[in-house]
């Protein structure tokens, strides 16, 4: 008998062509009910799905290159920090904890929407996934970044505030720009290759966070064998601007092929 995933009254049959995608969608919905995900997180996820579609729901070679440079940069940084929002916490909690341990880099909860109860809900999810130390939750350690006006300006003194390299998956607006102005290196994961975050980051990984995390953990295991000099070489040789341009070209080529295929089906139906 075919196994099904039960989400309340809705069952996703395992043989559904979009089973994986629907499973993540339901995680986001359940996460919203538990306050982990902001209401706007549902819309952000849908936007992500749309961009994922136009890269063929696959990890492109350019994303792999960016991930390698990102891991190398995290490994050579003195105070790397992994910033966690609601969407990421619900989609990849265990993998966040694993990456945090392998680098090592602390997890800091940093939210755009600071609705009451969300910090606690996200803390619960991450603790259940094995996190032993979480930043961003102790009010007495919180300071503000003047360059930012959104809630994201509230950061942990021992985390993002002092950090030299910040990993920001699924980001909104202008934080990347502000962090860079403060002299920090920023690594972004964003399915939208032309978002402000993607354009402003030092290293932009254009891929779905659910595919990025396992790959980065694997790469970290490999790169940890290298010396600082070799890691620095990987970072120095990476050209983010060129990588984004190549990704955009790959998207155009993929869409052209999709168009041909759609025309062929339309003609023959
Ligand atoms: O939990 P909070 O309060 O910190 O809020 C988190 C959200 C995501 C709601 C907030 O940061 C937001 O509104 O973000 P935006 O402006 O919608 O931007 C999110 C970006 O992430 C968009 O460019 C999406 O395309 C992208 N994105 C969405 N899902 C994924 C993704 N990128 C990678 N992997 C995904 N699964």
């Amino acid at each position: 008998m075919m196994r099904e995933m039960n989400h309340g009254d809705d069952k996703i049959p395992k043989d559904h062509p979009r089973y994986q995608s629907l499973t993540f969608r339901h995680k986001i919905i359940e996460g919203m009910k538990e306050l982990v995900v902001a209401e706007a997180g549902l819309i952000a996820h849908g936007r992500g799905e749309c961009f994922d579609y136009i890269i063929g729901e696959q990890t492109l070679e350019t994303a792999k290159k960016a991930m390698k440079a990102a891991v190398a940069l995290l490994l050579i940084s003195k105070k790397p920090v992994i910033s966690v929002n609601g969407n990421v916490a619900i989609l990849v909690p265990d993998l966040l904890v694993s990456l945090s341990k392998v680098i090592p880099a602390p997890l800091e909860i940093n939210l755009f929407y600071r609705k009451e109860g969300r910090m606690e809900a996200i803390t619960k999810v991450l603790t259940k996934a094995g996190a032993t130390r979480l930043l961003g939750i102790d009010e007495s350690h919180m300071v503000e970044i003047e360059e930012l006006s959104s809630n994201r300006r509230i950061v942990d003194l021992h985390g993002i505030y002092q950090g030299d390299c910040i990993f920001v998956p699924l980001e909104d607006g202008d934080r990347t720009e502000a962090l860079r102005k403060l002299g920090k290196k920023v690594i972004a994961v964003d399915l939208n290759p032309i978002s402000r975050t993607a354009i402003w980051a030092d290293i932009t990984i254009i891929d779905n966070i659910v595919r990025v995390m396992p790959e980065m953990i694997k790469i970290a295991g490999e790169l940890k064998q290298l010396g600082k000099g070799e890691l620095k070489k990987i970072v120095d040789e990476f050209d983010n601007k060129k990588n984004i341009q190549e990704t955009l070209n790959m998207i155009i080529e993929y869409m052209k092929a999709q168009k041909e295929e759609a025309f062929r089906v339309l003609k023959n139906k």
Side-chain angles (χ1 to χ4, degrees):
M1 213 173 78
M2 196 60 69
R3 274 193 55 215
E4 291 170 329
M5 198 121 182
N6 195 345
H7 298 277
D9 294 336
D10 313 312
K11 289 195 172 83
I12 310 171
K14 258 220 140 185
D15 60 347
H16 192 287
R18 306 208 52 77
Y19 178 80
Q20 239 212 348
S21 167
L22 288 177
T23 303
F24 286 119
R25 195 179 266 197
H26 281 264
K27 274 192 184 188
I28 290 279
I29 295 169
E30 292 304 316
M32 191 204 69
K33 290 180 191 161
E34 288 160 19
L35 293 179
V36 175
V37 175
E39 280 99 340
L42 267 68
I43 298 162
H45 187 78
R47 189 191 295 181
E49 278 185 351
C50 183
F51 280 107
D52 207 6
Y53 220 76
I54 63 167
I55 62 167
E57 294 174 301
Q58 59 182 316
T59 298
L60 301 173
E61 277 311 308
T62 44
K64 280 194 188 154
K65 267 195 217 167
M67 282 188 235
K68 191 171 173 190
V71 172
L73 180 59
L74 285 167
L75 289 171
I76 57 171
S77 296
K78 288 198 174 70
K79 289 188 172 183
V81 179
I82 299 170
S83 183
V84 180
N85 67 22
N87 286 48
V88 181
I90 207 72
L91 290 174
V92 284
D94 303 12
L95 300 171
L96 284 169
V97 174
S98 299
L99 185 68
S100 162
K101 285 184 180 159
V102 68
I103 294 295
L107 299 174
E108 175 166 339
I109 305 175
N110 178 276
L111 302 180
F112 188 82
Y113 300 99
R114 290 176 78 93
K115 185 177 177 177
E116 219 189 309
R118 288 198 66 212
M119 273 290 175
E120 294 74 10
I122 296 171
T123 301
K124 203 169 138 193
V125 165
L126 294 174
T127 307
K128 197 172 158 215
T132 46
R133 184 177 169 231
L134 284 175
L135 300 176
I137 54 175
D138 185 339
E139 282 304 321
S140 67
H141 291 171
M142 303 315 281
V143 289
E144 295 193 6
I145 292 178
E146 275 174 27
E147 285 75 4
L148 266 174
S149 51
S150 78
N151 279 329
R152 291 208 188 279
R153 73 186 184 282
I154 308 165
V155 296
D156 199 306
L157 180 63
H158 305 296
I160 292 173
Y161 191 76
Q162 291 180 2
D164 57 350
C165 174
I166 321 294
F167 181 63
V168 292
L170 274 78
E171 187 71 1
D172 45 83
D174 50 1
R175 181 163 69 140
T176 299
E177 208 174 326
L179 292 176
R180 285 205 56 182
K181 279 186 188 147
L182 290 169
K184 300 175 194 300
K185 296 275 182 198
V186 179
I187 298 165
V189 179
D190 196 334
L191 276 160
N192 178 359
I194 50 168
S195 71
R196 284 172 66 139
T197 303
I199 300 294
W200 271 91
D202 293 276
I203 297 177
T204 311
I205 302 166
I206 302 160
D207 198 7
N208 196 321
I209 191 68
V210 303
R211 294 191 297 267
V212 169
M213 293 301 290
E215 188 65 26
M216 279 183 73
I217 293 163
K218 191 174 132 236
I219 296 171
E222 291 160 11
L223 294 194
K224 276 197 103 170
Q225 320 301 325
L226 303 184
K228 270 215 157 157
E230 286 166 292
L231 293 172
K232 193 172 175 306
K233 193 164 172 266
I234 294 172
V235 175
D236 291 345
E237 282 174 0
F238 178 74
D239 183 338
N240 202 43
K241 198 166 129 190
K242 192 169 150 232
N243 210 53
I244 294 174
Q245 283 167 348
E246 274 176 20
T247 306
L248 286 167
N249 286 336
M250 286 166 116
I251 291 173
I252 292 165
E253 288 311 313
Y254 179 75
M255 288 312 290
K256 274 189 193 161
Q258 291 298 104
K259 179 183 152 194
E260 295 304 323
E261 176 61 12
F263 277 16
R264 192 188 60 76
V265 175
L266 283 169
K267 232 163 91 184
N268 298 328
K269 85 172 181 184

